[in-house]
Amino acid sequence: MAGHSKWATTKHKKAAIDAKRGKLFARLIKNIEVAARTGGGDPAGNPTLYDAIQKAKRNSVPADNIDRAVKRGSGEDAGGADWETIMYEGYGPGGVAILIECLTDNRNRAASDVRVAVTRNGGSMASPGSVSYLFSRRGVVEVPKTDGLTEDDLLLAVLDAGAEEVEDEGEVFVIESEPTDVVAVRTALVDAGYEYDSAEVQWVPATEVEADLELAEKLMKLIDALEDVDDVQNVFANFDASDEVMAQLNGED
């Protein structure tokens, strides 16, 4: 799951991701291959590849795996798949809007697996455009909280780089910008001496539905099922849950 809601960075989701580390590795490797194919194998001249590599490193993907992915994507080594990005749209329980971003070498398999995951977990597929208008493409940089670090500190560091707002999302600060400014924002952070967890372009909802415990449980079940699909790279949804609801979810793990 990706997004800038509080619940997206909770221990509940971290535990779920850690339990599926093999699947997470595969997704990160795919991203590196695609970035190297589209922009070349030199991270210094390919910001998308640079960020994909940094994200893989932060998630403990072995360096050899990263190097091989770059070489496959750039054509230096044989064996790279012909990856295709496909976006599916749907509704979850409670009418929550969902965008499902896939990276696949088999369009038919991806469509079938996504449909099964959605319909078996209380959701329904939607026609193209019927959900995506509720989201916009945004540059999103997540910065881990450290003692003494404030929103004003970060805003001062990245404002001139195109950052539009800094939000406190519980465990992290989230910096939003136009998609074209995400690299500049990330660079400004590094130049100012700040660490960041991720820097990427995401689908961010314009408004969010507040979910109670019952709805949040249903939505998490659906999102977990989608994240189990090998071809799914990201899931974006327009709901949020209070700290109290997330604490109850965490307590049930």
Side-chain angles (χ1 to χ4, degrees):
M1 171 67 201
H4 71 303
S5 302
K6 292 187 298 294
W7 65 270
T9 53
T10 62
K11 292 180 181 178
H12 175 86
K13 289 307 298 174
K14 185 177 185 305
I17 290 173
D18 287 345
K20 303 169 185 171
R21 187 162 293 277
K23 288 185 179 295
L24 177 63
F25 280 13
R27 290 182 183 132
L28 295 170
I29 289 297
K30 277 186 189 179
N31 282 338
I32 291 170
E33 279 195 36
V34 171
R37 176 172 297 141
T38 55
D42 179 11
N46 183 347
T48 303
L49 177 60
Y50 177 88
D51 287 326
I53 290 174
Q54 293 305 308
K55 189 171 184 179
K57 287 180 176 178
R58 286 186 174 86
N59 284 280
S60 303
V61 176
D64 286 349
N65 296 39
I66 293 173
D67 291 342
R68 285 195 294 270
V70 172
K71 290 178 179 177
R72 283 195 303 271
S74 63
E76 187 175 340
D77 283 354
D82 188 15
W83 301 116
E84 176 184 11
T85 299
I86 308 171
M87 183 72 76
Y88 297 103
E89 303 181 30
Y91 294 100
V96 167
I98 298 176
L99 292 181
I100 306 144
E101 196 173 68
C102 292
L103 193 57
T104 182
D105 58 356
N106 187 322
R107 177 184 284 263
N108 291 335
R109 179 190 66 221
S112 175
D113 289 352
V114 165
R115 182 176 296 277
V116 168
V118 169
T119 56
R120 285 185 179 176
N121 290 280
S124 60
M125 300 302 292
S127 56
S130 59
V131 168
S132 58
Y133 79 94
L134 296 168
F135 298 77
S136 59
R137 293 290 274 171
R138 300 285 288 161
V140 178
V141 181
E142 293 189 359
V143 178
K145 283 190 174 179
T146 56
D147 290 342
L149 181 63
T150 68
E151 294 172 64
D152 288 342
D153 292 335
L154 291 178
L155 191 58
L156 185 64
V158 298
L159 190 59
D160 289 342
E164 296 178 3
E165 60 180 316
V166 179
E167 296 183 10
D168 184 339
E169 296 291 1
E171 295 181 3
V172 297
F173 291 112
V174 174
I175 305 169
E176 280 196 31
S177 69
E178 289 295 325
T180 52
D181 290 330
V182 68
V183 172
V185 170
R186 179 255 291 162
T187 302
L189 275 176
V190 173
D191 290 346
Y194 297 120
E195 294 286 334
Y196 66 95
D197 283 341
S198 64
E200 56 196 1
V201 178
Q202 299 181 0
W203 289 97
V204 175
T207 59
E208 293 174 325
V209 177
E210 189 70 23
D212 59 17
L213 179 60
E214 181 181 1
L215 179 56
E217 287 175 332
K218 292 177 180 178
L219 290 164
M220 296 299 282
K221 183 180 178 183
L222 169 57
I223 289 168
D224 284 342
L226 284 167
E227 291 185 334
D228 273 336
V229 175
D230 288 340
D231 291 317
V232 171
Q233 287 290 100
N234 292 298
V235 182
F236 304 92
N238 73 334
F239 82 98
D240 194 11
S242 67
D243 293 337
E244 291 75 19
V245 168
M246 291 312 306
Q248 288 176 279
L249 280 176
N250 292 336
E252 293 171 2
D253 286 350

